[in-house]
Amino acid sequence: MTDRYDPQEIETRWQRVWEDARAFEVPNPEPGQPAPETHWYQLEMLPYPSGNGMHMGHVLNYTMGDVVTHVRRRSGWSVLRPMGWDAFGLPAENAAIREGGHPREITERNIATIRTQMKRLGWAIDWDREVSSHDPDYYRWTQWLFLRFFEHDLAYRKEAPVNWCPNDQTVIANEYVVDGKCERCGAEVELRNMTQWFFRTTAYADELLEFELPEGGEWPERTKTIQRNWIGRSEGAEILFRVDELDLDLPVFTTRADTLFGATFFVVAPEHPFVAAHATEEAQVYARHAGARKSEDRAAETEKTGVFTGHYATNPVNGERLPIWVADYVLMDYGTGAIMAVPAHDERDREFAETFDLPIVEVVSEDGTLVNSDGFDGKPAAEGARAIVSKLEEQGRGKATVSYRLRDWSFSRQRYWGCPIPIIHCERCGVVPVPDDQLPVLLPDVEDYAPKGKPPLASNEEWMNVTCPSCGGPARRDADTMDTFVDSSWYFIRYVDPHNDELPFERRVVDYWMPVSQYIGGIDHATGHLLYSRFFVKALNDFGMLGFREPFSRLFHQGWVQMGGTKMSKTKGNVMGPDDIVAAYGADAMRTYILFMGPADQDMEWSDSGIEGISRFLRRLWRVVDELAEHPAGDPGDGPLVRKAHATISKVSDDVLRRFQFHTPISAVMELLNDLSAAPGDPGARFAAETAVSLIQPYAPHIAEELWQRLGHERLWEQPWPVADDRFLARETFELVVQVNGKLRDRFEVSVDLSEEELVARATASPKVQTQLDGKQIRKTIVVPRKLVNLVVG
RNA sequence: GCCGAAGUGGCGGAACUGGCAGACGCGCUGGACUCAAAAUCCAGUGGGCUCCGGCCCGUGUGGGUUCGAUUCCCACCUUCGGCACCA
């Protein structure tokens, strides 16, 4: 009689064993220690400590990382696998406003809850490296890094139109405005002119387009495309149009310099400074009205609108005076906010010209060559564009240039629960950085977290008033805090050297572990976190602080786990969370099922009956192995069970390590178990059982460890990963597939030693094939060695 | 509108390099065990036809390449994602 499988008991027991053994901690290299080739930095996006605890998406994400960690570790790699908390941010602050308490208390309570949940799932995490962005030991270095960006002019302050979320009462970055709405709360975003802090991400626009991945690195093509679209590089020219009567130049950006002779009017955006300075009253009224409208509405507008400004710009190629209009189809935040309008060759300009009855002059003919372009007629368009630009360049009226869609990252926030900006504003000295030795600038307490037209920190007078580090005079602190994406743009570097109190990290240690070998996280961060982190690493590389230019060598995006959108939640009342599943089926079933559900990069629908199936599989594994454990080990031989076991080793290893596919290995182990339970008396049964236990360990480490012990062994978590033996993979026979005209007609076992002629002879001799041949002539035979024979008859 | 990804049983999905479509699991059907149920075990399970030997059809639709196509090419349909008055 065997023991019953009790997941709760064995799981908590083995979790204690691993914790006591510090099983998953990994040391940093000593100075001078040569770097072994087999080290691996396994990283999944760090969680935000929400009050709802972990959701299924976290479970999927971290279990995937866990499987890779176990397989790599047991394959002899030194694996760094840390965890931490993206602890600053609005939800905790809003909860504090709503329910009282300090955001810190709320956050730390949530962290404690989630840490417990994580430990209950038995993930192989080096908890000694845990970091949290709200910890002064962490944000001290966020501030320190900010100061380096500031010194290199990559962080700067300017007044600019920024996205203001009226609900969250703060500025948000372009990257987190979705369809004109705040990504977090869904409120309509307003444009406001404000003085804000920016990171000069645009300085790295071209480098961010290049994915300078190390050997073996790989990013999904999809993600690279999303980032490239976001950066939106387009090559063209900047051309100066003269406004003679005002003695000023208006620059335009165009990708179609070849159509310059077709420009018949000129348009500036409503927000363009030219309007307020020089336009007629009527034009100004229009501009104020149009500029106030949401960009979405502006885009949805079918009819073109605009007003003549009363001035003319001179086309530098032919001296023509073009009327300057103001119209809201021209956008201030792309190019120069002004365009030359070529209605013959631009759909929008044509609509505008038709609406306001402006001339249309064709300058590129059907065959793609220039016409009506004095001195350039007959040239192909691309060549014509180059020629026109170089002529203008000689005259100092134009130059080839590049325009980007990417904007600098505005990262100052008018809220409380974030990293304080280590800057002091002095009336005499201006913007003065807090000296490094005065870091961290601690986040002070305030009476009220709710923003009331000014950032909460500004209300703490005691904190705000300081002496200027430069002149010693009275000065004020910067009351904004940093976007939490600043915290998460470098957390993965801090993990490698988390206890360093001299520097954010030591280059030697960072260069040993990094870049991250495998990063796993949602694709929703494609243009945000993933872009910011690349910007940070490129800049830090230019500062000489680390020796690589990309943070993440390999990237993988997990799919979304949908929790019964329809029937389940209605009939059952509430949806099961990870805790419920662990309580009902155990962590091993939870972990195995979340990966068994389907390809990890696709969205999947949670199914309660699905986890029943996995639970059944684990119970069956338990029963079969536990019964076998009582029988002594003997010579396994080389029978079908042993060969199947080796084939399974090969399949599981290849799927996890090469294909990064996590659901098919479970199927493979199920097949092995099916074969095993069909032949319990087979001499290879014990070997098959040990193999199944060893291979399932990355997925279901607790039951595997327990069964491994019952099989008479120890410490499975550090046992070498099994290696398939070619001798057992090699076959003496194979199943020959016989086709007639490409259709399957017969199959039977034959020796691998047969020649092609012999294979054809066997195939032709088959009675089933004979029926099909029916006296017809064989016109052609195709033989695929070790696979099939196809007889073509006619 | 432009760019990209994906469409396979009742369901999740497998088939990796052009070579047996539907592995594995869920669900369902029948049976065993049981007073009964749960659990477990056994058998079956793409559709149609069948003289029970088999035969035909079948991977979104239509074409093509090939001895052979879920896989490659072209067109279309649908779904999802990114960008979008970006000059």
Side-chain angles (χ1 to χ4, degrees), chain A residues 424-433 468-475:
Chain A
I424 287 164
H425 300 280
C426 170
E427 269 188 36
R428 206 158 352 146
C429 311
V431 174
V432 182
C468 171
S470 175
C471 70

Side-chain angles (χ1 to χ4, degrees), chain A residues 15-41:
Chain A
Q15 282 158 14
R16 269 199 308 278
V17 170
W18 298 327
E19 189 154 356
D20 292 347
R22 301 176 153 246
F24 306 113
E25 292 180 16
V26 61
N28 279 339
E30 297 298 327
Q33 183 179 332
E37 278 171 37
T38 52
H39 60 275
W40 184 268
Y41 183 176

